[in-house]
Amino acid sequence: MIKHPIVRQLLPHAASIVIFLLVAAIYFYPQLQGMELQAGDIVSFKGMSHELKEHQEKTGEVSLWTNAMFGGMPAYQISVPYKKNLMRYVEQVTHLFMLRPIGYAICLMIGFYLMLILFGVNQWLSLIGAVTFGLTSNTLILMEAGHMTKVRSIAFWGILLVGVVRAYQGKFLSGGVLFSLGLALGLLANHVQMTYYFFLVMGIFVVMKLVEAIQTKQLPTFAKASGVLLVGLVLALGTSTSNLWSTYVYSKDTMRGDPILKLEGDAKPSSSSEVSGLDWDYAMMWSNGW
């Protein structure tokens, strides 16, 4: 009989994590046989980064430029390691030090499970919800396509969400820590688009909390929570500043920046190279229909 209260409290959650490991290992059992998921984008990535990898193996240096893409371009978003970002060690813990796809499935389950538990959901319902989230069809489709950074980013949405909610519940310390941790891990995944989508939804939530604070005369509490989250935001951004800043600077010289082609007369733009930012049709090309 286990008598220590903390051990007794943590034991069921440890059992849940073991279940996550077993479910992921059974579903992705071929990985344990030495097989590898042949995802389209990963195959393309290996081709794009081959020159960079060869150069590093021969010289020991990391190149920030590659001649293998478009006649030459910066390699910031292809295969440049950011070894000083210590959040990668935290991410490995959430994977239970397993490689993908098993590791990613475990990470998805743990993040969702933690969110539900902190929201006060029954452990067994949290367990079922976490497994369902980890093996949802969208996740499997993303893995098959090779959108691994998107999967990694989504895995930490649960931690982000519960952090925001707890902060506005007046639980400033735990809310701020969870929000900053979830955001830092999400940014490490290097799929800023998914983090942007999350903040769009959270923006609506924050506006709702502001209206509620005005109605209940709780503006000081709302201001404190917002301040805590702002500090957490700055700390999280600091962990990935080198990557985010170089990407921002580089984006100005891509089709996401100002147009590089001038239109003649009354001609209408026909590509993203002729408009500021991305052309709407191009940006929405891979979106689901109404």
Side-chain angles (χ1 to χ4, degrees):
M1 179 69 69
I2 299 175
K3 296 183 178 180
H4 198 288
I6 296 180
V7 175
R8 289 178 59 184
Q9 189 175 5
L10 293 178
L11 192 59
H13 303 307
S16 295
I17 292 176
V18 172
I19 292 174
F20 297 153
L21 173 60
L22 291 174
V23 170
I26 292 171
Y27 192 90
F28 295 107
Y29 181 69
Q31 178 184 341
L32 301 179
Q33 296 176 306
M35 298 183 185
E36 184 177 347
L37 182 64
Q38 293 300 309
D41 277 16
I42 298 300
V43 174
S44 298
F45 159 75
K46 289 181 177 179
M48 289 186 290
S49 61
H50 181 70
E51 180 190 45
L52 297 167
K53 185 178 179 181
E54 274 196 336
H55 175 78
Q56 185 174 359
E57 290 175 350
K58 289 179 180 179
T59 66
E61 298 177 347
V62 176
S63 175
L64 300 180
W65 183 270
T66 176
N67 292 318
M69 294 289 293
F70 302 110
M73 62 176 283
Y76 304 141
Q77 293 298 323
I78 299 176
S79 183
V80 175
Y82 294 91
K83 295 182 179 180
K84 299 299 182 180
N85 191 337
L86 302 182
M87 295 308 298
R88 59 197 178 99
Y89 297 111
V90 180
E91 185 185 36
Q92 289 174 9
V93 174
T94 65
H95 293 172
L96 300 186
F97 303 97
M98 297 286 290
L99 298 177
R100 64 176 184 241
I102 292 177
Y104 284 11
I106 293 171
C107 183
L108 286 159
M109 295 177 193
I110 290 177
F112 203 78
Y113 178 81
L114 178 63
M115 178 192 72
L116 293 177
I117 289 294
L118 291 176
F119 277 150
V121 179
N122 173 277
Q123 182 201 349
W124 294 108
L125 289 178
S126 298
L127 178 64
I128 295 171
V131 171
T132 304
F133 180 73
L135 298 179
T136 187
S137 58
N138 181 62
T139 300
L140 301 179
I141 290 170
L142 291 176
M143 287 186 178
E144 189 277 334
H147 298 178
M148 300 303 183
T149 56
K150 187 178 292 187
V151 174
R152 288 172 61 197
S153 179
I154 292 174
F156 302 110
W157 277 9
I159 300 175
L160 264 170
L161 176 60
V162 75
V164 173
V165 173
R166 287 176 76 87
Y168 284 108
Q169 288 176 338
K171 302 171 183 176
F172 303 128
L173 180 59
S174 62
V177 169
L178 288 169
F179 171 77
S180 187
L181 176 64
L183 181 56
L185 290 168
L187 292 175
L188 174 69
N190 198 24
H191 202 302
V192 184
Q193 180 183 1
M194 302 312 297
T195 306
Y196 171 74
Y197 290 152
F198 175 85
F199 273 89
L200 285 179
V201 178
M202 282 298 96
I204 298 173
F205 174 78
V206 172
V207 171
M208 292 169 58
K209 298 303 292 185
L210 174 59
V211 172
E212 181 184 40
I214 294 173
Q215 292 176 339
T216 59
K217 299 183 177 6
Q218 295 292 323
L219 278 175
T221 302
F222 174 85
K224 289 179 182 177
S226 300
V228 166
L229 294 177
L230 181 60
V231 171
L233 172 66
V234 172
L235 292 174
L237 289 173
T239 63
S240 293
T241 298
S242 55
N243 182 24
L244 293 172
W245 187 257
S246 60
T247 302
Y248 168 71
V249 173
Y250 173 44
S251 68
K252 296 180 180 180
D253 294 314
T254 71
M255 63 182 181
R256 289 167 173 78
D258 292 331
I260 58 175
L261 300 177
K262 293 183 179 180
L263 297 176
E264 295 290 340
D266 297 328
K268 295 182 179 180
S270 59
S271 72
S272 290
S273 298
E274 298 169 345
V275 297
S276 181
L278 293 180
D279 178 68
W280 177 262
D281 290 336
Y282 175 85
M284 297 295 109
M285 190 180 299
W286 293 277
S287 299
N288 290 326
W290 291 106

